[in-house]
Amino acid sequence: MWKKIVVAAMAWYLPTLAVAIEPTPGTNAEQGSEHDLPPNSETAAQIKGLLDGELREWFILSHGNDSNASFIESGDDHITIDITGFVDDEAWETQEALSISLTINEGELISAVVLHPLGDSTSPPLYTSEGGDVEVTLTHYERASQRVHVAGKIQGVLALQIQLDEPPSQEETIEIDVAFDVEAQKIEF
């Protein structure tokens, strides 16, 4: 019973909050600067660029402590950052998303995996950097306690993987050339 009341209250409160933080005409937020967004805004950062020759844009969504840009520590200055950008700036739908996983050790990128799911899950069919020819470069990396700000570029070719137990096809590929600028928050266990 209490869960239903809390959910109903949140359903009423969140849309009210969204209206309250809309930018007023003539402000910098209306001009599209991500640094001028309110701190609790749903859109945390963006991923932009070309995918298969089309200009695309993906949004990092967050709500409270739940974000699609997060990282975990697995030793001294060794972290894994997982980023999922969504096509819709309000819906957490996997289809057509762009997922980036970065492993960083002592400030240096040591591995990266990029996925572009075609369906409603991160299981095949999907395009992947594994089996493709993708270069990920970092242009900015800054760690501040519970947050990491990371920016960079992804360029190359993603390969299509149809089945989980089969390798990606070198014959079916799409080109990718995107830039990302994301602030990830630390996940505590």
Side-chain angles (χ1 to χ4, degrees), residues 84-86 91-98 116-122:
T84 301
F86 297 100
W92 300 45
E93 296 178 9
T94 305
Q95 190 166 6
E96 296 293 317
L98 189 66
H116 178 61
L118 299 177
D120 293 332
S121 74
T122 55

Side-chain angles (χ1 to χ4, degrees), residues 42 61-70 92 185:
E42 292 296 316
L61 303 181
S62 62
H63 179 70
N65 288 333
D66 191 12
S67 173
N68 287 96
S70 59
W92 300 45
Q185 60 189 34

Side-chain angles (χ1 to χ4, degrees), residues 6-76:
V6 170
V7 169
M10 287 178 55
W12 173 81
Y13 178 73
L14 290 175
T16 305
L17 179 63
V19 170
I21 61 173
E22 283 185 7
T24 56
T27 64
N28 288 341
E30 185 181 58
Q31 297 169 6
S33 173
E34 70 219 18
H35 300 292
D36 296 323
L37 292 174
N40 292 329
S41 175
E42 292 296 316
T43 305
Q46 296 185 41
I47 305 167
K48 296 180 183 179
L50 296 173
L51 183 67
D52 202 22
E54 286 185 43
L55 186 59
R56 303 284 297 269
E57 187 174 58
W58 296 268
F59 298 91
I60 307 302
L61 303 181
S62 62
H63 179 70
N65 288 333
D66 191 12
S67 173
N68 287 96
S70 59
F71 72 95
I72 58 168
E73 288 182 298
S74 55
D76 290 340

Side-chain angles (χ1 to χ4, degrees), residues 44-45 60 67-70 81 83 147-150 181-185:
I60 307 302
S67 173
N68 287 96
S70 59
I81 304 170
I83 303 163
R147 300 221 178 258
V148 168
H149 179 205
V150 62
D181 189 348
V182 175
E183 186 173 287
Q185 60 189 34

Side-chain angles (χ1 to χ4, degrees), residues 145-181:
S145 184
Q146 302 294 313
R147 300 221 178 258
V148 168
H149 179 205
V150 62
K153 290 197 58 77
I154 303 168
Q155 296 175 307
V157 175
L158 299 174
L160 180 64
Q161 184 175 9
I162 302 291
Q163 299 288 334
L164 192 57
D165 57 346
E166 294 177 9
S169 169
Q170 297 298 321
E171 287 79 43
E172 300 212 31
T173 61
I174 58 172
E175 291 185 18
I176 186 168
D177 185 2
V178 301
F180 59 92
D181 189 348

